[in-house]
Amino acid sequence: YVADHGGDVSELVPMGVPPSEEFAEEELEDDDMGEDVDDVEEMMLDEAFMLSADELVNEFGWRANVGATQLEARLLSELHKIESENVRDMLEADRQVPRLIKELDQAIGNLDSMDRMLRFYSMELESMDDDVRKIQTENENLKTEEANQQRLLIELDTILKTITISEKELQVLRNESLETADGIERVERVAASLKRMLGAPAGGGELEARSEKIKKYEFYSANFSTRVYDYLKVMFQFKIDGSGSDKARVVRRGIRLINGPEQVHKMMIKYAGLTLWLKEAKPSADKELQALYIQCMNQLYTNQARDLVESCRPVFSRYRHDANSGAPNPVAEFAFATTSGSQVSGTTGPSARRLSLDGLSGAAHQALASSKKTDSGGAGSPGPGGAAPASDMQPTEAFSIALGNLVGHVVSEQNFISDLFHYVPPAHTRAARRGPAGRKGSADDGEDDHGESEGPQAKLGENVTFYNWVTYKIRPIENWEVPRPKLDSADVVSQTVHFGSVKEVKSMLDLLFGNLATQVDTLVEMGTRFDPSQAVGMLVPISRALDMCKGSDQGFLINVLERSKDRLEAMFQRYVSEQARAIEATKFVTKKRGGALPFARVFPKFIAHIESLVGDTGYSARAIADSAYSRVSRLIFDTLETLLREADRNAQRNADDKDAQKEQLNAHVLLLENLFVLTAGLKAYKTRGCKPYFVPTLETYLDHANAIQRKVTRAYLKDVLQRPMGKLIGFFDTVDRCLAAKKDPLATSNLGKSQLKKVLQAHSSSNMRENIKQLSKRVDKHFINESRLQPVIWQTISDDMLSNYQRIVTLLARAYKSTNLSLDFTQTDLKRWLSER
């Protein structure tokens, strides 16, 4: 039915046929489905069965018109055919069974033979495996024995090297030259081997043989130490004495510098390895060598420092003034108060007061100066091999050169002593070894003779030993002129430790530069003796040196510099206070005109002088100088303003007193003269010598002075115009006020036509011309002490008179036009009269 209607019956299964595995699995998977699904499946099976039966009937050719008997007969025939075929197959199968059994027996026999062979082979393999294991065990034992023998040979070789050194090498310690760098290197290499043998730990056996070797090497070590000490002692004395020659002295602008120690350092540093040997092998000899070096270098520094100070003396005497000579005091050009050298220093004479670099007394210095005069032809002559100092050099410049030379040698000497006698802190050594050369050396070094693999950095946890010095080729840090930073154990710059240098180095510096503070004090005393203002200029090189040493291990030098800095600051503050007292003590005499006061002339020169000493620096000297300017300028301006206020107040209290009015006028003249001189000096300095950084400060002083000057000028004009135009100006001032009050001046009794006519007649052209002539003479008389101010004041008076003329003409036109009254002179006449002076 399905086929007739175009359906697919290939998947249908006839009823009674067991389901395939696939359908069984599907049935197991679908057992959990609902009852509706089961009913649908049964219906589908029934339909499939019906379709299969229909196909079977069709195959047998059954038709609806064929009888059932025929169909049954045909079905039975088919059944017999199928049964006969099954019987045939079974008979054929029975005939093949015996042959199959025979073949199976043969296969079983073959398997038994193979089993016997496999058991035999297994036994053989097990025997071979035992032999191989035995061979491997014997081989491993042989390897272990060989390795032990190699270690034993290495240990024996190490022991032999430890207790043995050839006689040829020992002779190097005795005979090799110490003059050349190659000879010193060979000696150090053999000495390092000797040091290693002496420091090697004792072994468990052959103690007697080792003891004999050690005694022998100790003998050689002692002899070598004696040789090194004797040689270095002679070399130190010879090199230091030879470097003190005047032929090699350096002269800078006539000042003879200390330069002998630089040559000593360059020649002696090659013996740094030998000094380290002495430090370890014979400490007492090392201490004696250090003492000898300090003694010889102290003498060298003392001699050359004396020459250094003596060459500065002519510069320091630049401002020296002899009161009996009649010449002007050069310090008075820029100082409000001057003090002679004898007053500054008390009752002691110059020779007795002269400080010394080496502790010589004043009498000894006097004898020394006499001998110098005899040898060189005068005190001002330059020393041997030197040139006379520049005549325009400031004492501050000479002090800066001398201090820089001293400071440089203190820094260099501390670093050199640390390198030569091996007082370099481990942190500095590690920092130096981290440089490119140090890293290269570390890479080239392999394991040491004891088999240790740690590099040289691991060896530098403490002070360097002689063996490490030679083995790892450690060299002095050098670069002595640069201060070295204070480093803590982590190699970080330390800000807490005041003295970064080693205690022994500080002790040697105390012996070598114990009088450094006295030397600097001598320079300060000589430089400020005739001009104390030089103190602020000396602060600049002091601050520069302190800035260079900031954060370094130069604790000894920092102490000396800080002490000198405090002294210079106090000295300059005293100097400024003395200048302030001089300004305050200025006497103002207003009964007569005495010209410009000293402080008006001095203040611009005072600023110029201090600026030439300080300059544009960021050190404390800049702030101290600015503070001094502020104090002095404030005092000067306060003094001028106080004079103006007191004069005006006195004139107001005594309005009818002619003397009081005259004193007021004199005060105005005095103030104008002083302000003119002050502003002229400040302007001159601004245009000719002032540096750009100081212009804003200078302009504040000019603005302040100009403000006071305008105020005084107005007061002075009011006084001097009282005679020529006083009544005229006063009359029209009243008219102006009347008009401002919206009143008619003609209706006022004191401003009427008759009053106007009297005023105009009193100021006729002839009278005005004569008054102007008298005014001109009066102005010339007022400013006779400052002729440069006369044209300035007259121009101001002319401008003011012309301005009043215009105002009067305007008021006449407004208030008195109906009267037909006017001035008897024109503006052109007034200008001509003013220009005729």
Side-chain angles (χ1 to χ4, degrees):
Y1 176 80
V2 174
D4 291 339
H5 290 80
D8 186 8
V9 296
S10 61
E11 297 297 330
L12 297 178
V13 180
M15 292 184 64
V17 178
S20 64
E21 294 181 359
E22 182 178 357
F23 283 105
E25 291 177 358
E26 292 179 356
E27 290 177 358
L28 291 175
E29 292 176 356
D30 297 334
D31 286 341
D32 296 334
M33 298 182 65
E35 294 180 356
D36 294 339
V37 177
D38 294 340
D39 294 339
V40 172
E41 289 180 353
E42 290 179 0
M43 293 175 63
M44 292 177 66
L45 291 174
D46 292 340
E47 291 177 358
F49 175 74
M50 293 299 296
L51 291 174
S52 299
D54 187 51
E55 289 179 358
L56 183 62
V57 171
N58 289 331
E59 288 179 359
F60 285 108
W62 182 73
R63 300 288 183 268
N65 56 1
V66 178
T69 305
Q70 293 179 356
L71 179 61
E72 181 181 5
R74 190 171 179 176
L75 290 174
L76 290 174
S77 175
E78 289 293 331
L79 178 62
H80 288 306
K81 186 188 294 184
I82 292 171
E83 289 178 351
S84 63
E85 288 178 358
N86 291 337
V87 170
R88 191 184 308 114
D89 292 337
M90 291 176 61
L91 291 175
E92 289 178 358
D94 289 340
R95 286 195 298 269
Q96 292 177 359
V97 167
R99 196 175 84 181
L100 179 61
I101 292 173
K102 181 179 179 180
E103 290 178 354
L104 289 174
D105 290 339
Q106 290 178 355
I108 292 171
N110 291 333
L111 290 174
D112 290 338
S113 298
M114 292 176 65
D115 181 62
R116 287 193 298 272
M117 292 176 66
L118 289 174
R119 282 199 298 270
F120 174 75
Y121 291 149
S122 175
M123 292 175 62
E124 289 294 330
L125 289 174
E126 289 178 358
S127 176
M128 293 176 66
D129 182 62
D130 293 340
D131 294 338
V132 169
R133 284 201 181 98
K134 182 178 180 181
I135 293 172
Q136 289 179 345
T137 302
E138 291 179 355
N139 188 30
E140 291 176 357
N141 292 337
L142 289 174
K143 288 182 177 180
T144 302
E145 183 179 358
E146 183 181 2
N148 292 335
Q149 289 177 353
Q150 291 292 337
R151 293 192 185 96
L152 180 59
L153 289 175
I154 292 173
E155 289 296 327
L156 290 175
D157 186 60
T158 301
I159 293 173
L160 289 175
K161 289 182 178 180
T162 303
I163 63 173
T164 303
I165 185 171
S166 66
E167 190 65 27
K168 182 179 179 180
E169 291 179 315
L170 292 175
Q171 292 303 318
V172 171
L173 298 178
R174 179 183 298 175
N175 301 323
E176 185 65 49
S177 172
L178 300 178
E179 294 287 342
T180 63
D182 292 338
I184 293 174
E185 184 178 358
R186 286 191 292 270
V187 168
E188 288 179 350
R189 193 162 51 245
V190 176
S193 301
L194 184 62
K195 176 64 69 174
R196 182 196 60 195
M197 295 173 186
L198 291 174
E206 300 185 14
L207 295 179
E208 184 176 354
R210 187 177 185 281
S211 298
E212 293 178 358
K213 292 285 187 181
I214 292 298
K215 289 179 180 179
K216 176 183 177 181
Y217 295 150
E218 286 177 349
F219 172 77
Y220 278 100
S221 174
N223 288 343
F224 179 65
S225 299
T226 302
R227 182 195 177 197
V228 168
Y229 171 70
D230 293 339
Y231 177 80
L232 292 182
K233 182 171 65 173
V234 173
M235 290 304 297
F236 277 17
Q237 292 175 330
F238 175 74
K239 297 293 185 182
I240 294 174
D241 292 343
S243 64
S245 174
D246 288 334
K247 296 180 181 179
R249 296 292 294 277
V250 176
V251 179
R252 184 186 304 169
R253 299 191 66 183
I255 298 176
R256 305 185 66 195
L257 303 180
I258 302 173
N259 67 326
E262 298 173 356
Q263 305 171 25
V264 175
H265 296 168
K266 293 177 182 179
M267 291 184 292
M268 300 302 296
I269 194 59
K270 63 183 179 181
Y271 301 118
L274 299 180
T275 58
L276 182 56
W277 167 272
L278 280 182
K279 186 175 182 179
E280 295 182 1
K282 197 173 182 180
S284 60
D286 179 60
K287 293 296 183 182
E288 292 177 6
L289 196 62
Q290 294 176 20
L292 177 64
Y293 175 81
I294 296 299
Q295 178 183 355
C296 296
M297 289 299 291
N298 184 33
Q299 185 177 359
L300 176 63
Y301 275 118
T302 299
N303 294 335
Q304 294 198 357
R306 184 189 297 113
D307 293 341
L308 171 69
V309 174
E310 287 299 324
S311 64
C312 293
R313 194 177 297 278
V315 182
F316 291 154
S317 301
R318 173 182 177 180
Y319 294 106
R320 184 174 184 176
H321 175 245
D322 186 0
N324 298 324
S325 64
N329 189 347
V331 178
E333 287 291 322
F334 51 80
F336 304 97
T338 58
T339 306
S340 63
S342 59
Q343 290 173 328
V344 171
S345 307
T347 59
T348 310
S351 298
R353 284 192 317 99
R354 186 175 300 171
L355 297 177
S356 169
L357 293 176
D358 54 357
L360 294 178
S361 64
H365 264 295
Q366 191 170 5
L368 178 63
S370 300
S371 64
K372 285 184 177 289
K373 289 181 180 180
T374 303
D375 296 338
S376 58
S381 301
S391 59
D392 61 340
M393 188 188 300
Q394 288 279 3
T396 295
E397 297 179 64
F399 176 82
S400 178
I401 294 174
L403 181 72
N405 190 236
L406 287 173
V407 167
H409 280 287
V410 173
V411 173
S412 179
E413 197 62 49
Q414 174 174 321
N415 293 336
F416 176 74
I417 289 174
S418 300
D419 285 354
L420 180 62
F421 297 111
H422 301 279
Y423 289 112
V424 179
H428 282 173
T429 305
R430 289 193 296 269
R433 292 287 292 177
R434 281 195 295 269
R439 286 192 295 269
K440 181 179 179 181
S442 300
D444 294 339
D445 293 330
E447 296 184 355
D448 59 13
D449 293 333
H450 297 286
E452 298 173 355
S453 60
E454 55 184 345
Q457 292 295 333
K459 300 289 186 180
L460 300 179
E462 299 177 355
N463 289 331
V464 179
T465 63
F466 179 77
Y467 178 75
N468 290 339
W469 174 275
V470 177
T471 302
Y472 302 114
K473 297 181 179 179
I474 303 173
R475 292 297 176 262
I477 300 176
E478 297 189 0
N479 200 19
W480 301 303
E481 65 278 2
V482 179
R484 296 171 182 174
K486 293 182 294 185
L487 301 178
D488 56 18
S489 57
D491 299 354
V492 178
V493 176
S494 173
Q495 301 295 339
T496 57
V497 182
H498 187 61
F499 284 106
S501 57
V502 181
K503 180 176 65 176
E504 291 82 355
V505 176
K506 183 178 180 299
S507 299
M508 284 191 281
L509 291 175
D510 287 334
L511 295 174
L512 189 57
F513 298 108
N515 56 352
L516 178 64
T518 305
Q519 294 171 359
V520 179
D521 287 345
T522 300
L523 294 172
V524 170
E525 175 71 19
M526 293 171 60
T528 60
R529 181 177 177 184
F530 304 109
D531 177 21
S533 67
Q534 298 289 329
V536 71
M538 293 178 180
L539 280 172
V540 175
I542 290 282
S543 300
R544 187 183 299 117
L546 282 171
D547 187 61
M548 179 186 69
C549 297
K550 184 179 180 181
S552 71
D553 61 355
Q554 296 289 331
F556 174 83
L557 179 59
I558 291 173
N559 262 357
V560 174
L561 293 175
E562 287 180 344
R563 176 180 176 276
S564 298
K565 180 182 178 183
D566 294 342
R567 184 185 179 205
L568 286 169
E569 289 178 353
M571 184 181 296
F572 186 71
Q573 293 298 342
R574 288 195 300 270
Y575 170 77
V576 174
S577 298
E578 184 181 354
Q579 304 308 303
R581 286 193 297 271
I583 296 173
E584 293 172 345
T586 303
K587 301 297 183 181
F588 297 96
V589 181
T590 56
K591 293 186 180 296
K592 59 180 181 179
R593 294 178 291 274
L597 298 172
F599 61 70
R601 299 184 185 276
V602 169
F603 183 60
K605 298 179 180 179
F606 173 79
I607 292 178
H609 175 67
I610 298 299
E611 281 303 303
S612 68
L613 301 178
V614 177
D616 186 16
T617 64
Y619 303 121
S620 61
R622 177 74 267 163
I624 292 174
D626 291 341
S627 176
Y629 300 152
S630 177
R631 181 180 178 184
V632 171
S633 64
R634 185 170 58 252
L635 188 59
I636 290 174
F637 292 135
D638 289 348
T639 301
L640 296 175
E641 290 177 338
T642 300
L643 176 61
L644 176 62
R645 285 194 303 268
E646 290 181 352
D648 293 344
R649 191 182 303 117
N650 185 44
Q652 291 175 2
R653 285 198 302 263
N654 304 281
D656 299 331
D657 188 352
K658 293 184 178 180
D659 292 336
Q661 301 303 319
K662 183 178 181 180
E663 288 184 10
Q664 182 187 29
L665 178 61
N666 290 340
H668 293 162
V669 172
L670 180 65
L671 288 171
L672 285 174
E673 287 180 336
N674 283 278
L675 288 168
F676 175 78
V677 171
L678 179 62
T679 54
L682 293 175
K683 290 177 181 177
Y685 175 60
K686 180 181 177 181
T687 56
R688 288 198 296 267
C690 183
K691 301 298 182 182
Y693 70 87
F694 193 70
V695 170
T697 303
L698 195 62
E699 288 179 345
T700 59
Y701 302 146
L702 280 170
D703 293 342
H704 197 169
N706 289 330
I708 301 175
Q709 190 176 33
R710 288 192 294 268
K711 186 188 301 183
V712 178
T713 302
R714 288 194 298 268
Y716 175 76
L717 292 179
K718 184 178 179 181
D719 288 340
V720 296
L721 292 179
Q722 189 66 30
R723 290 184 183 180
M725 299 180 66
K727 292 181 180 181
L728 184 64
I729 292 173
F731 179 84
F732 281 97
D733 284 344
T734 307
V735 172
D736 195 10
R737 288 193 297 270
C738 184
L739 291 174
K742 297 182 179 181
K743 295 180 181 180
D744 185 5
L746 290 173
T748 305
S749 60
N750 61 340
L751 298 178
K753 181 177 180 181
S754 60
Q755 296 295 329
L756 173 63
K757 190 173 183 179
K758 290 180 181 180
V759 171
L760 294 178
Q761 289 176 351
H763 293 83
S764 62
S765 60
S766 59
N767 290 338
M768 282 298 298
R769 183 174 184 180
E770 184 63 27
N771 288 339
I772 290 174
K773 288 182 179 180
Q774 295 299 323
L775 178 61
S776 175
K777 294 178 181 180
R778 192 180 181 196
V779 170
D780 292 343
K781 183 179 179 182
H782 287 168
F783 300 102
I784 190 172
N785 295 317
E786 192 56 59
S787 58
R788 295 177 301 167
L789 185 56
Q790 293 173 357
V792 177
I793 296 297
W794 185 252
Q795 183 62 45
T796 305
I797 292 173
S798 301
D799 294 341
D800 192 71
M801 292 182 71
L802 291 171
S803 176
N804 278 311
Y805 177 84
Q806 291 291 342
R807 185 172 67 93
I808 291 171
V809 170
T810 302
L811 290 174
L812 280 171
R814 286 180 58 191
Y816 300 100
K817 185 175 182 180
S818 60
T819 62
N820 293 323
L821 295 176
S822 63
L823 291 170
D824 191 22
F825 55 92
T826 63
Q827 185 176 5
T828 304
D829 296 333
L830 184 59
K831 288 182 177 180
R832 186 177 68 254
W833 298 335
L834 290 171
S835 62
E836 287 177 353
R837 68 180 300 272

Short mmCIF file of all heavy atoms in Angstrom, two decimals, residues 737-759:
data_model
loop_
_atom_site.label_atom_id
_atom_site.label_comp_id
_atom_site.label_asym_id
_atom_site.label_seq_id
_atom_site.Cartn_x
_atom_site.Cartn_y
_atom_site.Cartn_z
N ARG A 737 39.49 130.69 43.43
CA ARG A 737 38.62 130.09 44.44
C ARG A 737 37.23 130.73 44.43
O ARG A 737 36.22 130.04 44.63
CB ARG A 737 39.25 130.23 45.83
CG ARG A 737 40.47 129.35 46.05
CD ARG A 737 40.87 129.30 47.52
NE ARG A 737 41.27 130.62 48.01
CZ ARG A 737 42.51 131.08 47.97
NH1 ARG A 737 43.48 130.32 47.43
NH2 ARG A 737 42.82 132.28 48.45
N CYS A 738 37.20 132.04 44.16
CA CYS A 738 35.91 132.73 44.09
C CYS A 738 35.07 132.22 42.92
O CYS A 738 33.86 131.98 43.04
CB CYS A 738 36.12 134.25 43.98
SG CYS A 738 34.61 135.23 44.02
N LEU A 739 35.71 132.06 41.79
CA LEU A 739 35.00 131.52 40.63
C LEU A 739 34.55 130.09 40.87
O LEU A 739 33.45 129.70 40.40
CB LEU A 739 35.89 131.59 39.39
CG LEU A 739 36.20 133.00 38.85
CD1 LEU A 739 37.22 132.92 37.71
CD2 LEU A 739 34.93 133.70 38.37
N ALA A 740 35.36 129.34 41.56
CA ALA A 740 34.98 127.97 41.87
C ALA A 740 33.75 127.93 42.76
O ALA A 740 32.94 126.99 42.70
CB ALA A 740 36.15 127.24 42.52
N ALA A 741 33.58 129.02 43.60
CA ALA A 741 32.40 129.10 44.47
C ALA A 741 31.22 129.78 43.78
O ALA A 741 30.21 130.09 44.43
CB ALA A 741 32.77 129.86 45.75
N LYS A 742 31.39 130.05 42.46
CA LYS A 742 30.34 130.66 41.65
C LYS A 742 29.95 132.05 42.17
O LYS A 742 28.78 132.41 42.28
CB LYS A 742 29.11 129.75 41.58
CG LYS A 742 29.40 128.42 40.90
CD LYS A 742 28.16 127.58 40.81
CE LYS A 742 28.46 126.26 40.11
NZ LYS A 742 27.24 125.40 39.97
N LYS A 743 30.99 132.81 42.49
CA LYS A 743 30.79 134.19 42.93
C LYS A 743 31.45 135.13 41.93
O LYS A 743 32.40 134.74 41.23
CB LYS A 743 31.39 134.41 44.32
CG LYS A 743 30.71 133.61 45.42
CD LYS A 743 31.38 133.89 46.77
CE LYS A 743 30.72 133.08 47.89
NZ LYS A 743 31.38 133.35 49.20
N ASP A 744 30.98 136.37 41.92
CA ASP A 744 31.55 137.36 41.02
C ASP A 744 32.69 138.08 41.74
O ASP A 744 32.47 138.73 42.77
CB ASP A 744 30.48 138.38 40.62
CG ASP A 744 31.00 139.38 39.58
OD1 ASP A 744 32.16 139.18 39.13
OD2 ASP A 744 30.26 140.30 39.25
N PRO A 745 33.93 137.96 41.24
CA PRO A 745 35.05 138.63 41.91
C PRO A 745 34.87 140.14 41.98
O PRO A 745 35.31 140.78 42.94
CB PRO A 745 36.25 138.26 41.04
CG PRO A 745 35.86 137.02 40.35
CD PRO A 745 34.40 137.13 40.12
N LEU A 746 34.24 140.77 40.99
CA LEU A 746 34.06 142.21 41.01
C LEU A 746 33.15 142.65 42.15
O LEU A 746 33.23 143.81 42.61
CB LEU A 746 33.46 142.69 39.67
CG LEU A 746 34.41 142.59 38.46
CD1 LEU A 746 33.68 142.92 37.18
CD2 LEU A 746 35.60 143.52 38.65
N ALA A 747 32.31 141.73 42.61
CA ALA A 747 31.41 142.06 43.72
C ALA A 747 32.06 141.84 45.07
O ALA A 747 31.42 142.07 46.11
CB ALA A 747 30.12 141.24 43.60
N THR A 748 33.27 141.34 45.05
CA THR A 748 33.99 141.10 46.29
C THR A 748 34.90 142.28 46.56
O THR A 748 35.62 142.76 45.66
CB THR A 748 34.80 139.80 46.19
OG1 THR A 748 33.92 138.74 45.81
CG2 THR A 748 35.45 139.46 47.52
N SER A 749 34.93 142.73 47.82
CA SER A 749 35.67 143.96 48.16
C SER A 749 37.16 143.85 47.89
O SER A 749 37.77 144.78 47.35
CB SER A 749 35.43 144.32 49.63
OG SER A 749 35.88 143.25 50.46
N ASN A 750 37.75 142.75 48.21
CA ASN A 750 39.21 142.62 48.05
C ASN A 750 39.60 142.13 46.67
O ASN A 750 40.77 141.91 46.38
CB ASN A 750 39.78 141.70 49.12
CG ASN A 750 39.20 140.30 49.04
OD1 ASN A 750 38.13 140.10 48.47
ND2 ASN A 750 39.88 139.35 49.65
N LEU A 751 38.62 141.91 45.79
CA LEU A 751 38.91 141.45 44.43
C LEU A 751 38.32 142.40 43.38
O LEU A 751 38.19 142.02 42.20
CB LEU A 751 38.35 140.04 44.21
CG LEU A 751 38.92 138.93 45.11
CD1 LEU A 751 38.22 137.62 44.81
CD2 LEU A 751 40.41 138.79 44.92
N GLY A 752 38.00 143.58 43.79
CA GLY A 752 37.35 144.52 42.88
C GLY A 752 38.32 145.07 41.85
O GLY A 752 39.52 144.74 41.79
N LYS A 753 37.77 145.99 41.03
CA LYS A 753 38.55 146.55 39.92
C LYS A 753 39.73 147.36 40.45
O LYS A 753 40.85 147.27 39.89
CB LYS A 753 37.62 147.42 39.08
CG LYS A 753 38.31 148.04 37.87
CD LYS A 753 37.33 148.83 37.03
CE LYS A 753 38.04 149.46 35.83
NZ LYS A 753 37.11 150.26 34.98
N SER A 754 39.51 148.10 41.49
CA SER A 754 40.60 148.92 42.04
C SER A 754 41.71 148.06 42.60
O SER A 754 42.90 148.35 42.42
CB SER A 754 40.04 149.84 43.13
OG SER A 754 39.46 149.08 44.18
N GLN A 755 41.34 146.99 43.26
CA GLN A 755 42.36 146.07 43.80
C GLN A 755 43.14 145.40 42.67
O GLN A 755 44.35 145.25 42.75
CB GLN A 755 41.69 145.01 44.69
CG GLN A 755 41.01 145.58 45.93
CD GLN A 755 42.00 146.20 46.89
OE1 GLN A 755 43.15 145.78 47.00
NE2 GLN A 755 41.53 147.26 47.57
N LEU A 756 42.44 145.03 41.62
CA LEU A 756 43.10 144.43 40.47
C LEU A 756 44.08 145.41 39.85
O LEU A 756 45.20 145.05 39.46
CB LEU A 756 42.06 143.97 39.46
CG LEU A 756 42.61 143.46 38.12
CD1 LEU A 756 43.47 142.21 38.34
CD2 LEU A 756 41.47 143.16 37.15
N LYS A 757 43.65 146.66 39.73
CA LYS A 757 44.50 147.67 39.10
C LYS A 757 45.77 147.88 39.88
O LYS A 757 46.87 148.00 39.30
CB LYS A 757 43.70 148.97 38.99
CG LYS A 757 44.38 150.03 38.14
CD LYS A 757 43.45 151.21 37.95
CE LYS A 757 44.10 152.24 37.03
NZ LYS A 757 43.22 153.43 36.80
N LYS A 758 45.69 147.87 41.22
CA LYS A 758 46.88 148.03 42.06
C LYS A 758 47.84 146.86 41.85
O LYS A 758 49.07 147.03 41.76
CB LYS A 758 46.48 148.12 43.52
CG LYS A 758 45.76 149.40 43.90
CD LYS A 758 45.39 149.39 45.37
CE LYS A 758 44.63 150.67 45.75
NZ LYS A 758 44.25 150.68 47.19
N VAL A 759 47.29 145.66 41.79
CA VAL A 759 48.14 144.48 41.62
C VAL A 759 48.83 144.51 40.27
O VAL A 759 50.03 144.22 40.15
CB VAL A 759 47.31 143.19 41.79
CG1 VAL A 759 48.12 141.97 41.39
CG2 VAL A 759 46.80 143.05 43.20
#
